[in-house]
Amino acid sequence: MKRMIVFMFKGAYNNLGRILFANERKTSIPMRNKIATGQITYPKVVNENACIGCSACANICPVDAIHMEDLEEPVEITKDYVKEKHPVFDPMKCMYCFQCHDSCPIFAFYGKPAAIHPRHVGEFDVNLAELLQQPIVMKDDKEFEAVISLLDEKARNLLKEGS
Amino acid sequence: MADTDRKDRAEVEVPMGMVHSALLEPFRIRLFVDDEVVVDAEITYDTAHRGIERIMEGMPIQKGLILTERICGICSHIHIWNGTRMVERGLGIDVPQRAHHIRVIGNELERLHSHLLYLGHAFEILGHETFSMRCFMVREPVQNILFVLSGNRVHYTIPVLGGIRPRADISHEKRQTMFSMIDKLETDLREFAARVLNDPFIVSRIKEIGYLSKEDAVKYGALGPNMRASGIDFDWRYKLPEYRDHFDFEVIVRDGGTVLDRVACRVFECLESIKIIRQALETLPDEDPTNVDFELGAMGYSTSYNEAARGEIYDSCALDEVGRIRSYINRTPSMSSLSAMEVSCIGDHLTDASITIASCDPCLTCTNRMTVVDEKKGTNYVMEPEDVLRLARRV
Amino acid sequence: MMDWIDFAITTVCIPIVAFVVSTWLPGIMRKIQARIQLRIGPPVLTPGFWAFFKFLYKERIRPVSPMPRLYHSLPVIGIFLMFFIILLTTPAWETVLTLGTLVAIAGLMKVEEMLYLFMGNLSKSILSVRMPYPDQVKGAVMKGKVRRFFEQVAVVRTFKLISIGSFPLYIGLFVPAVMYGSIGIMAVASAQGFDPATFVLRDLFSLDPLIFTVPGAIGAIAYFAGYLVILNEYPFSIMHTKADVVEGPTLEYAAWARAGYYLMREVTIFVMSSVFVTLYFGIPPMIGWALIPHIILVMLLPVGAAIVSAFTPVLTFKQVYPLSLGFSALGVIGLIVAML
Amino acid sequence: MLKEISRKNAVHIMLVYTGGCNGCDIEVVNAVMSPFYDLEQYKVMLTWNPREADILAVTGPVTRKMEPALKEIYAAIPEPKLVAAIGTCAIIGGPYANLGGDLGSSDQIVGGVNKVIPVDAYIPGCPPRPEDILQAVASVIPILAGKR
Ligand code: SF4
Ligand code: SF4
Ligand code: SF4
Ligand code: SF4
Ligand code: SF4
Ligand code: SF4
Ligand code: SF4
């Protein structure tokens, strides 16, 4: 009984504060400001510094939600491989089947986080030059061929050499 | 005998759904009432049938597994995990312990968010908006942890054959973040649980209604917390090596069988889940989380059971020589728990019936089964036992 | 002659005041609830004022109802009833018509409640029986029973609430009558020291409000419970509950008719509270200085209702009956104390 | 004048789930119920009654069973009204309408919402985050206000 009364008074006190002074408010004000100015952006789906620009994701996407755009400044990854394009993702078309993610060679061949993830790609660093020197771990030749056929020609040569 | 008795007493039918504030998901409830006391109930759930099992037929297994996740946005992880587990069992693929741990973490986080969602929904039906909002507030950190872990709040896509997707691997920083978020979550949850279970108004609304006896729970196949709230001590987590050998936790069993027990059961399960997540994070082995050293190929019929937030889940399928799916079957807990609710809401007030039905955590997206589509007439309907019998006789 | 001018001014102005103030009330209530729920909540004018005008400007549709015109006219009747009640409690009407008795108010409130019965029976929304779904080919044991719309379920509930739920309200209404031995509203107010002719703000402190006496306090609690019932506010919103009947009798109101329904509800919140202030604080609504304390005090009940409803679930009849009986019993105790 | 202002200041939103996976549904409910997001601060209030609604938020691919219900509910909303398709399922039918094995994609799905009723706003994601939903809803309100 005594506990109950103490509890009620405490509750009344807390709620008075909430009503009059908006204490303990949980609504996110930064988000409110962002929405008011229309600044909510779609989560990042391509990790630029992990992508080798091989076009596999764009080639496999069943609904054409990805297209490759030429980079303004090509990035030299190894001495004989220059990344010239990068994937651009259209969320309106995507159906989140993960085929782009699963066929991205960074994931398919090296088992590292893929450079593309249709949800949110996350923050991670990959040393591509080093990675591309590693031998490819993939037993099944058929599967290897299937994935490699998705890549553009330059990337195909590169990875075939690497394996 | 009892049936005819009831039949005479019912005066009216009150249909609810498919679009209704208390149901949320599209399903149809027909309540047969005498005055306002429910005499019989019929729950039908074919509206969300999307034919996932059928479109999976012949798909490469990796793609199919991604589709299993899309069966449901609440039990998303458990579907893909159980499917993956089934294939791994069938093909004998070794999975690193680290991957097991991360999958368990995913599953327990899912249990947390599912149970909290359940509570939020229950309060919404009780008309208690404030507490419903508190529930969602407590739930918010869980969603954030999941986002940190996997990059999405709902479909995390953690397991992949042989391990986990590297996106969901737990780095050192991630682990620290998760620890601190979980500590915060636990204090909030305990405070809230104490507040709820001591609120006289709420308890007066949910005690002594929706009684499901132990016998009925067995007979109608209630699963998961619904079954455990009726006094049946069974949990797949006791049997799975992923859990059994590594974690120390309790399975909550209560004897009452009422809505109050089902709610309380879930509240306490949440605390156990937090315990498991902590242990998993603490004992996370340091190794490569994904094993790519396996070959896909023909697989005989393989099965797997697991404990989803809402009860037992079952997957089975076979693979052909190139690893394509043959006859995937997935059976989910809501399916059978719902039929148990058809009986347990009998004898309650109409308003209580909706909380009773909600108290089994109905969620329909996995539950929709056989629909017959008559292309010529352009109609479709759900097969009834009589229809099946008729067809059988005709043959 | 003076009286008649006063009468005319009051008749025009008091409803306008009631309209203006009442459109704020739902917003204030919602804001309080939102604060308790630890969020920002809608701006104060949104739920009452702007929603009302928005609905006025929506496309007029024909409701699915056996008698659409009658159905649409019910909220209008409700609004007029409420304006009538508040006017009955003004001193100006009292001097001219001398109709302002507690019996009249109780009677009009009953009529107001009855409106829900008609509404429910006249509304046939899409959400239950009319939902396109092949129920009849399903396997239920009890095929072919009478199929009932949500609204009709709500009607049954309204009926139950009228017969017992709003009892506390009526007892709360009659505590002052017993206390001062008169059913005239002005008599009750003047017994508490109010004089419409000479009232200035300073007099506020020389009043002797009923609510500060023991029977008055008890009666006020009973009145408050009845107030929640008549507003269908949580915890007594069983005829309006989202858990099964969604919005009950008012489901089919759209466009201007829904605006009308909104206004009816808002005005009910205001008027019921205004009657309370008149009876328990002895300050009736009138064009003059008394209006200021009156309107401030009118906020009391809605604010109380908002706080209570933020902390209670909807109760079923299992709880409503005993609670309502309890409050009635409390009210009766108040009556007895008042008689002593 | 009053018309536009009032429409901008009070909006009612109704949710219909047409057979999605729950993911979108929950994120919408999150946007409405969670105090962290709080839809009501943008003057948008939740309703379950089509007669009261201005915006119809649809999640999930439209299944055959839900098609007639969705049409009727849309018809029950008085003008002006908007439809928001939430999630990739509601936009293009999601994986159910676009993926398939031997038997092709699902024949139980009519497709995206725009195959059944006209759609004014598309919110991508699987599921969209609550903040995406909030921003989209907040940004369609002026369209609603501008309607006849
Ligand atoms: S990769 Fe396959 S699915 Fe995609 S466009 Fe080419 S043929 Fe079609
Ligand atoms: S996840 Fe989206 S972008 Fe990637 S392949 Fe599938 S549809 Fe295309
Ligand atoms: S498949 Fe991966 S590496 Fe290749 S372009 Fe796409 S994101 Fe970049
Ligand atoms: S029964 Fe459920 S899980 Fe199976 S295809 Fe139908 S909707 Fe999907
Ligand atoms: S009863 Fe249901 S779960 Fe069992 S086999 Fe048939 S469809 Fe599958
Ligand atoms: S039981 Fe089915 S619908 Fe419910 S959460 Fe689990 S998978 Fe989803
Ligand atoms: S878009 Fe994704 S989350 Fe939404 S209903 Fe479809 S599958 Fe579920």
Side-chain angles (χ1 to χ4, degrees), chain A residues 26 95-96 98-99 101-102 107 111 119-121 139, chain B residues 63 66 70 134 137 151-152 155 157 165-167 293:
Chain A
K26 289 290 193 300
M95 57 161 170
Y96 304 88
F98 271 73
Q99 298 190 10
H101 173 276
D102 289 359
F107 173 69
R119 292 314 171 11
H120 180 269
V121 68
K139 279 198 151 176
Chain B
K63 286 183 197 164
I66 290 191
R70 240 53 81 65
R134 296 273 152 89
M137 212 167 78
N152 193 274
H155 288 306
T157 334
R165 281 204 159 61
R167 168 72 179 91
D293 197 15

PDB file of all heavy atoms in Angstrom, chain A residues 26 95-96 98-99 101-102 107 111 119-121 139, chain B residues 63 66 70 134 137 151-152 155 157 165-167 293:
ATOM      1  N   LYS A  26      11.213  11.752 -26.305  1.00  0.00           N
ATOM      2  CA  LYS A  26      12.021  10.802 -27.043  1.00  0.00           C
ATOM      3  C   LYS A  26      12.053  11.074 -28.547  1.00  0.00           C
ATOM      4  O   LYS A  26      12.822  10.474 -29.263  1.00  0.00           O
ATOM      5  CB  LYS A  26      11.496   9.382 -26.813  1.00  0.00           C
ATOM      6  CG  LYS A  26      11.763   8.837 -25.427  1.00  0.00           C
ATOM      7  CD  LYS A  26      13.239   8.559 -25.238  1.00  0.00           C
ATOM      8  CE  LYS A  26      13.558   7.733 -24.002  1.00  0.00           C
ATOM      9  NZ  LYS A  26      13.164   8.302 -22.745  1.00  0.00           N
ATOM     10  N   MET A  95      14.331  -5.168 -56.203  1.00  0.00           N
ATOM     11  CA  MET A  95      13.432  -5.998 -55.409  1.00  0.00           C
ATOM     12  C   MET A  95      14.199  -6.766 -54.338  1.00  0.00           C
ATOM     13  O   MET A  95      13.690  -7.708 -53.764  1.00  0.00           O
ATOM     14  CB  MET A  95      12.663  -6.944 -56.301  1.00  0.00           C
ATOM     15  CG  MET A  95      13.575  -7.807 -57.118  1.00  0.00           C
ATOM     16  SD  MET A  95      12.751  -9.231 -57.732  1.00  0.00           S
ATOM     17  CE  MET A  95      13.977  -9.825 -58.869  1.00  0.00           C
ATOM     18  N   TYR A  96      15.433  -6.403 -54.110  1.00  0.00           N
ATOM     19  CA  TYR A  96      16.202  -6.954 -52.993  1.00  0.00           C
ATOM     20  C   TYR A  96      16.336  -8.473 -53.067  1.00  0.00           C
ATOM     21  O   TYR A  96      16.062  -9.178 -52.120  1.00  0.00           O
ATOM     22  CB  TYR A  96      15.585  -6.509 -51.661  1.00  0.00           C
ATOM     23  CG  TYR A  96      15.501  -5.022 -51.596  1.00  0.00           C
ATOM     24  CD1 TYR A  96      14.391  -4.354 -52.093  1.00  0.00           C
ATOM     25  CD2 TYR A  96      16.562  -4.282 -51.132  1.00  0.00           C
ATOM     26  CE1 TYR A  96      14.333  -2.979 -52.106  1.00  0.00           C
ATOM     27  CE2 TYR A  96      16.523  -2.905 -51.137  1.00  0.00           C
ATOM     28  CZ  TYR A  96      15.397  -2.261 -51.629  1.00  0.00           C
ATOM     29  OH  TYR A  96      15.351  -0.905 -51.648  1.00  0.00           O
ATOM     30  N   PHE A  98      19.228  -9.806 -53.819  1.00  0.00           N
ATOM     31  CA  PHE A  98      20.609 -10.047 -53.408  1.00  0.00           C
ATOM     32  C   PHE A  98      21.475 -10.696 -54.481  1.00  0.00           C
ATOM     33  O   PHE A  98      22.567 -11.148 -54.194  1.00  0.00           O
ATOM     34  CB  PHE A  98      20.662 -10.898 -52.134  1.00  0.00           C
ATOM     35  CG  PHE A  98      20.626 -10.053 -50.908  1.00  0.00           C
ATOM     36  CD1 PHE A  98      19.447  -9.438 -50.538  1.00  0.00           C
ATOM     37  CD2 PHE A  98      21.748  -9.848 -50.142  1.00  0.00           C
ATOM     38  CE1 PHE A  98      19.390  -8.634 -49.426  1.00  0.00           C
ATOM     39  CE2 PHE A  98      21.701  -9.039 -49.031  1.00  0.00           C
ATOM     40  CZ  PHE A  98      20.529  -8.442 -48.673  1.00  0.00           C
ATOM     41  N   GLN A  99      20.993 -10.746 -55.711  1.00  0.00           N
ATOM     42  CA  GLN A  99      21.824 -11.397 -56.721  1.00  0.00           C
ATOM     43  C   GLN A  99      23.044 -10.547 -57.043  1.00  0.00           C
ATOM     44  O   GLN A  99      24.114 -11.080 -57.334  1.00  0.00           O
ATOM     45  CB  GLN A  99      20.992 -11.668 -57.969  1.00  0.00           C
ATOM     46  CG  GLN A  99      19.859 -12.607 -57.647  1.00  0.00           C
ATOM     47  CD  GLN A  99      19.138 -13.108 -58.860  1.00  0.00           C
ATOM     48  OE1 GLN A  99      19.571 -12.920 -59.973  1.00  0.00           O
ATOM     49  NE2 GLN A  99      18.017 -13.742 -58.633  1.00  0.00           N
ATOM     50  N   HIS A 101      24.616  -8.628 -54.921  1.00  0.00           N
ATOM     51  CA  HIS A 101      25.536  -8.819 -53.806  1.00  0.00           C
ATOM     52  C   HIS A 101      26.258 -10.154 -53.935  1.00  0.00           C
ATOM     53  O   HIS A 101      27.485 -10.238 -53.817  1.00  0.00           O
ATOM     54  CB  HIS A 101      24.739  -8.758 -52.509  1.00  0.00           C
ATOM     55  CG  HIS A 101      25.513  -9.090 -51.283  1.00  0.00           C
ATOM     56  ND1 HIS A 101      25.710 -10.388 -50.878  1.00  0.00           N
ATOM     57  CD2 HIS A 101      26.149  -8.306 -50.381  1.00  0.00           C
ATOM     58  CE1 HIS A 101      26.425 -10.380 -49.777  1.00  0.00           C
ATOM     59  NE2 HIS A 101      26.710  -9.138 -49.455  1.00  0.00           N
ATOM     60  N   ASP A 102      25.484 -11.188 -54.221  1.00  0.00           N
ATOM     61  CA  ASP A 102      26.088 -12.518 -54.217  1.00  0.00           C
ATOM     62  C   ASP A 102      26.978 -12.764 -55.421  1.00  0.00           C
ATOM     63  O   ASP A 102      27.801 -13.683 -55.406  1.00  0.00           O
ATOM     64  CB  ASP A 102      24.997 -13.588 -54.154  1.00  0.00           C
ATOM     65  CG  ASP A 102      24.334 -13.618 -52.793  1.00  0.00           C
ATOM     66  OD1 ASP A 102      24.753 -12.820 -51.939  1.00  0.00           O
ATOM     67  OD2 ASP A 102      23.403 -14.410 -52.591  1.00  0.00           O
ATOM     68  N   PHE A 107      32.773 -10.627 -52.962  1.00  0.00           N
ATOM     69  CA  PHE A 107      32.154 -11.608 -52.081  1.00  0.00           C
ATOM     70  C   PHE A 107      32.262 -13.017 -52.671  1.00  0.00           C
ATOM     71  O   PHE A 107      32.666 -13.958 -51.994  1.00  0.00           O
ATOM     72  CB  PHE A 107      30.683 -11.245 -51.849  1.00  0.00           C
ATOM     73  CG  PHE A 107      29.905 -12.285 -51.087  1.00  0.00           C
ATOM     74  CD1 PHE A 107      30.175 -12.511 -49.743  1.00  0.00           C
ATOM     75  CD2 PHE A 107      28.923 -13.044 -51.703  1.00  0.00           C
ATOM     76  CE1 PHE A 107      29.474 -13.467 -49.031  1.00  0.00           C
ATOM     77  CE2 PHE A 107      28.220 -14.009 -50.995  1.00  0.00           C
ATOM     78  CZ  PHE A 107      28.496 -14.217 -49.655  1.00  0.00           C
ATOM     79  N   GLY A 111      35.161 -13.900 -50.498  1.00  0.00           N
ATOM     80  CA  GLY A 111      34.469 -14.046 -49.217  1.00  0.00           C
ATOM     81  C   GLY A 111      34.534 -12.820 -48.325  1.00  0.00           C
ATOM     82  O   GLY A 111      34.280 -12.889 -47.138  1.00  0.00           O
ATOM     83  N   ARG A 119      20.845  -3.340 -49.151  1.00  0.00           N
ATOM     84  CA  ARG A 119      20.267  -2.683 -47.952  1.00  0.00           C
ATOM     85  C   ARG A 119      21.155  -1.524 -47.516  1.00  0.00           C
ATOM     86  O   ARG A 119      20.927  -0.394 -47.813  1.00  0.00           O
ATOM     87  CB  ARG A 119      20.159  -3.691 -46.817  1.00  0.00           C
ATOM     88  CG  ARG A 119      19.159  -4.851 -46.930  1.00  0.00           C
ATOM     89  CD  ARG A 119      17.907  -4.637 -47.331  1.00  0.00           C
ATOM     90  NE  ARG A 119      16.905  -5.593 -47.654  1.00  0.00           N
ATOM     91  CZ  ARG A 119      16.835  -6.888 -47.484  1.00  0.00           C
ATOM     92  NH1 ARG A 119      17.793  -7.565 -46.961  1.00  0.00           N
ATOM     93  NH2 ARG A 119      15.773  -7.531 -47.850  1.00  0.00           N
ATOM     94  N   HIS A 120      22.209  -1.836 -46.817  1.00  0.00           N
ATOM     95  CA  HIS A 120      23.138  -0.791 -46.409  1.00  0.00           C
ATOM     96  C   HIS A 120      24.500  -1.454 -46.385  1.00  0.00           C
ATOM     97  O   HIS A 120      24.713  -2.432 -45.687  1.00  0.00           O
ATOM     98  CB  HIS A 120      22.773  -0.253 -45.030  1.00  0.00           C
ATOM     99  CG  HIS A 120      23.702   0.825 -44.565  1.00  0.00           C
ATOM    100  ND1 HIS A 120      24.814   0.553 -43.832  1.00  0.00           N
ATOM    101  CD2 HIS A 120      23.686   2.162 -44.754  1.00  0.00           C
ATOM    102  CE1 HIS A 120      25.452   1.688 -43.574  1.00  0.00           C
ATOM    103  NE2 HIS A 120      24.802   2.676 -44.127  1.00  0.00           N
ATOM    104  N   VAL A 121      25.409  -0.911 -47.141  1.00  0.00           N
ATOM    105  CA  VAL A 121      26.618  -1.674 -47.401  1.00  0.00           C
ATOM    106  C   VAL A 121      27.576  -1.692 -46.211  1.00  0.00           C
ATOM    107  O   VAL A 121      28.368  -2.606 -46.056  1.00  0.00           O
ATOM    108  CB  VAL A 121      27.281  -1.162 -48.687  1.00  0.00           C
ATOM    109  CG1 VAL A 121      27.817   0.236 -48.489  1.00  0.00           C
ATOM    110  CG2 VAL A 121      28.348  -2.093 -49.181  1.00  0.00           C
ATOM    111  N   LYS A 139      35.772 -23.928 -55.775  1.00  0.00           N
ATOM    112  CA  LYS A 139      36.064 -25.267 -56.234  1.00  0.00           C
ATOM    113  C   LYS A 139      35.386 -25.570 -57.555  1.00  0.00           C
ATOM    114  O   LYS A 139      35.974 -26.108 -58.480  1.00  0.00           O
ATOM    115  CB  LYS A 139      35.605 -26.264 -55.184  1.00  0.00           C
ATOM    116  CG  LYS A 139      36.603 -26.413 -54.056  1.00  0.00           C
ATOM    117  CD  LYS A 139      36.308 -27.677 -53.317  1.00  0.00           C
ATOM    118  CE  LYS A 139      37.565 -28.261 -52.704  1.00  0.00           C
ATOM    119  NZ  LYS A 139      37.224 -29.440 -51.902  1.00  0.00           N
TER     120      LYS A 139
ATOM    121  N   LYS B  63      19.431 -18.610 -54.043  1.00  0.00           N
ATOM    122  CA  LYS B  63      18.406 -17.592 -54.281  1.00  0.00           C
ATOM    123  C   LYS B  63      17.153 -17.915 -53.498  1.00  0.00           C
ATOM    124  O   LYS B  63      16.485 -17.035 -52.958  1.00  0.00           O
ATOM    125  CB  LYS B  63      18.077 -17.520 -55.761  1.00  0.00           C
ATOM    126  CG  LYS B  63      19.152 -16.855 -56.554  1.00  0.00           C
ATOM    127  CD  LYS B  63      18.745 -16.736 -57.990  1.00  0.00           C
ATOM    128  CE  LYS B  63      19.971 -16.469 -58.839  1.00  0.00           C
ATOM    129  NZ  LYS B  63      19.715 -16.722 -60.254  1.00  0.00           N
ATOM    130  N   ILE B  66      17.168 -16.793 -49.983  1.00  0.00           N
ATOM    131  CA  ILE B  66      16.887 -15.370 -49.787  1.00  0.00           C
ATOM    132  C   ILE B  66      15.400 -15.122 -49.818  1.00  0.00           C
ATOM    133  O   ILE B  66      14.865 -14.302 -49.079  1.00  0.00           O
ATOM    134  CB  ILE B  66      17.628 -14.552 -50.842  1.00  0.00           C
ATOM    135  CG1 ILE B  66      19.102 -14.635 -50.502  1.00  0.00           C
ATOM    136  CG2 ILE B  66      17.156 -13.124 -50.866  1.00  0.00           C
ATOM    137  CD1 ILE B  66      19.974 -13.743 -51.217  1.00  0.00           C
ATOM    138  N   ARG B  70      11.850 -13.586 -47.151  1.00  0.00           N
ATOM    139  CA  ARG B  70      10.731 -12.726 -47.519  1.00  0.00           C
ATOM    140  C   ARG B  70       9.378 -13.370 -47.204  1.00  0.00           C
ATOM    141  O   ARG B  70       8.340 -12.781 -47.500  1.00  0.00           O
ATOM    142  CB  ARG B  70      10.806 -12.366 -48.986  1.00  0.00           C
ATOM    143  CG  ARG B  70      10.911 -10.899 -49.217  1.00  0.00           C
ATOM    144  CD  ARG B  70      12.032 -10.225 -48.458  1.00  0.00           C
ATOM    145  NE  ARG B  70      13.327 -10.354 -49.086  1.00  0.00           N
ATOM    146  CZ  ARG B  70      13.621  -9.822 -50.247  1.00  0.00           C
ATOM    147  NH1 ARG B  70      12.747  -9.145 -50.906  1.00  0.00           N
ATOM    148  NH2 ARG B  70      14.814  -9.959 -50.735  1.00  0.00           N
ATOM    149  N   ARG B 134       5.264   3.064 -25.428  1.00  0.00           N
ATOM    150  CA  ARG B 134       6.443   2.725 -24.627  1.00  0.00           C
ATOM    151  C   ARG B 134       7.101   1.462 -25.166  1.00  0.00           C
ATOM    152  O   ARG B 134       8.323   1.353 -25.221  1.00  0.00           O
ATOM    153  CB  ARG B 134       6.064   2.486 -23.161  1.00  0.00           C
ATOM    154  CG  ARG B 134       5.514   3.667 -22.452  1.00  0.00           C
ATOM    155  CD  ARG B 134       6.586   4.530 -21.833  1.00  0.00           C
ATOM    156  NE  ARG B 134       6.096   5.889 -21.760  1.00  0.00           N
ATOM    157  CZ  ARG B 134       5.408   6.383 -20.731  1.00  0.00           C
ATOM    158  NH1 ARG B 134       5.224   5.664 -19.670  1.00  0.00           N
ATOM    159  NH2 ARG B 134       4.954   7.614 -20.758  1.00  0.00           N
ATOM    160  N   MET B 137       9.067   2.147 -28.014  1.00  0.00           N
ATOM    161  CA  MET B 137      10.255   2.884 -27.613  1.00  0.00           C
ATOM    162  C   MET B 137      11.334   1.935 -27.112  1.00  0.00           C
ATOM    163  O   MET B 137      12.512   2.074 -27.429  1.00  0.00           O
ATOM    164  CB  MET B 137       9.857   3.827 -26.494  1.00  0.00           C
ATOM    165  CG  MET B 137      10.581   5.095 -26.435  1.00  0.00           C
ATOM    166  SD  MET B 137       9.673   6.123 -25.307  1.00  0.00           S
ATOM    167  CE  MET B 137      10.214   5.454 -23.743  1.00  0.00           C
ATOM    168  N   GLY B 151      22.769  -4.041 -41.399  1.00  0.00           N
ATOM    169  CA  GLY B 151      22.476  -3.089 -42.456  1.00  0.00           C
ATOM    170  C   GLY B 151      21.015  -2.963 -42.789  1.00  0.00           C
ATOM    171  O   GLY B 151      20.655  -2.283 -43.739  1.00  0.00           O
ATOM    172  N   ASN B 152      20.157  -3.642 -42.052  1.00  0.00           N
ATOM    173  CA  ASN B 152      18.726  -3.447 -42.259  1.00  0.00           C
ATOM    174  C   ASN B 152      18.024  -3.701 -40.955  1.00  0.00           C
ATOM    175  O   ASN B 152      18.487  -4.473 -40.124  1.00  0.00           O
ATOM    176  CB  ASN B 152      18.202  -4.374 -43.346  1.00  0.00           C
ATOM    177  CG  ASN B 152      16.808  -3.998 -43.802  1.00  0.00           C
ATOM    178  OD1 ASN B 152      15.838  -4.415 -43.211  1.00  0.00           O
ATOM    179  ND2 ASN B 152      16.703  -3.190 -44.825  1.00  0.00           N
ATOM    180  N   HIS B 155      14.920  -7.059 -42.609  1.00  0.00           N
ATOM    181  CA  HIS B 155      15.456  -8.239 -43.292  1.00  0.00           C
ATOM    182  C   HIS B 155      16.969  -8.190 -43.198  1.00  0.00           C
ATOM    183  O   HIS B 155      17.612  -7.425 -43.881  1.00  0.00           O
ATOM    184  CB  HIS B 155      15.031  -8.229 -44.760  1.00  0.00           C
ATOM    185  CG  HIS B 155      13.581  -8.524 -44.939  1.00  0.00           C
ATOM    186  ND1 HIS B 155      12.992  -9.636 -44.409  1.00  0.00           N
ATOM    187  CD2 HIS B 155      12.612  -7.872 -45.607  1.00  0.00           C
ATOM    188  CE1 HIS B 155      11.717  -9.652 -44.735  1.00  0.00           C
ATOM    189  NE2 HIS B 155      11.458  -8.587 -45.445  1.00  0.00           N
ATOM    190  N   THR B 157      19.226 -10.787 -43.530  1.00  0.00           N
ATOM    191  CA  THR B 157      19.963 -11.642 -44.454  1.00  0.00           C
ATOM    192  C   THR B 157      21.325 -12.033 -43.900  1.00  0.00           C
ATOM    193  O   THR B 157      22.349 -11.830 -44.532  1.00  0.00           O
ATOM    194  CB  THR B 157      20.150 -10.953 -45.819  1.00  0.00           C
ATOM    195  OG1 THR B 157      19.098 -10.025 -46.001  1.00  0.00           O
ATOM    196  CG2 THR B 157      20.104 -11.944 -46.949  1.00  0.00           C
ATOM    197  N   ARG B 165      26.851 -13.947 -44.035  1.00  0.00           N
ATOM    198  CA  ARG B 165      27.310 -12.914 -44.965  1.00  0.00           C
ATOM    199  C   ARG B 165      28.291 -12.008 -44.235  1.00  0.00           C
ATOM    200  O   ARG B 165      28.023 -11.582 -43.120  1.00  0.00           O
ATOM    201  CB  ARG B 165      26.124 -12.079 -45.438  1.00  0.00           C
ATOM    202  CG  ARG B 165      25.317 -12.739 -46.502  1.00  0.00           C
ATOM    203  CD  ARG B 165      24.562 -11.719 -47.345  1.00  0.00           C
ATOM    204  NE  ARG B 165      24.216 -12.331 -48.613  1.00  0.00           N
ATOM    205  CZ  ARG B 165      23.445 -13.384 -48.726  1.00  0.00           C
ATOM    206  NH1 ARG B 165      22.946 -13.935 -47.644  1.00  0.00           N
ATOM    207  NH2 ARG B 165      23.180 -13.910 -49.898  1.00  0.00           N
ATOM    208  N   PRO B 166      29.410 -11.719 -44.872  1.00  0.00           N
ATOM    209  CA  PRO B 166      30.432 -10.942 -44.157  1.00  0.00           C
ATOM    210  C   PRO B 166      29.921  -9.592 -43.677  1.00  0.00           C
ATOM    211  O   PRO B 166      30.433  -9.051 -42.710  1.00  0.00           O
ATOM    212  CB  PRO B 166      31.529 -10.747 -45.205  1.00  0.00           C
ATOM    213  CG  PRO B 166      31.226 -11.658 -46.317  1.00  0.00           C
ATOM    214  CD  PRO B 166      29.824 -12.100 -46.219  1.00  0.00           C
ATOM    215  N   ARG B 167      28.901  -9.059 -44.327  1.00  0.00           N
ATOM    216  CA  ARG B 167      28.332  -7.781 -43.883  1.00  0.00           C
ATOM    217  C   ARG B 167      27.910  -7.841 -42.416  1.00  0.00           C
ATOM    218  O   ARG B 167      27.978  -6.857 -41.702  1.00  0.00           O
ATOM    219  CB  ARG B 167      27.113  -7.456 -44.761  1.00  0.00           C
ATOM    220  CG  ARG B 167      26.233  -6.339 -44.278  1.00  0.00           C
ATOM    221  CD  ARG B 167      26.919  -5.009 -44.450  1.00  0.00           C
ATOM    222  NE  ARG B 167      26.092  -3.894 -44.024  1.00  0.00           N
ATOM    223  CZ  ARG B 167      26.106  -3.390 -42.788  1.00  0.00           C
ATOM    224  NH1 ARG B 167      26.864  -3.911 -41.864  1.00  0.00           N
ATOM    225  NH2 ARG B 167      25.352  -2.339 -42.486  1.00  0.00           N
ATOM    226  N   ASP B 293      34.124 -24.055 -48.319  1.00  0.00           N
ATOM    227  CA  ASP B 293      34.688 -25.294 -48.814  1.00  0.00           C
ATOM    228  C   ASP B 293      33.627 -26.393 -48.886  1.00  0.00           C
ATOM    229  O   ASP B 293      33.623 -27.329 -48.100  1.00  0.00           O
ATOM    230  CB  ASP B 293      35.824 -25.703 -47.864  1.00  0.00           C
ATOM    231  CG  ASP B 293      36.726 -26.734 -48.504  1.00  0.00           C
ATOM    232  OD1 ASP B 293      36.626 -26.892 -49.728  1.00  0.00           O
ATOM    233  OD2 ASP B 293      37.489 -27.367 -47.766  1.00  0.00           O
TER     234      ASP B 293
END
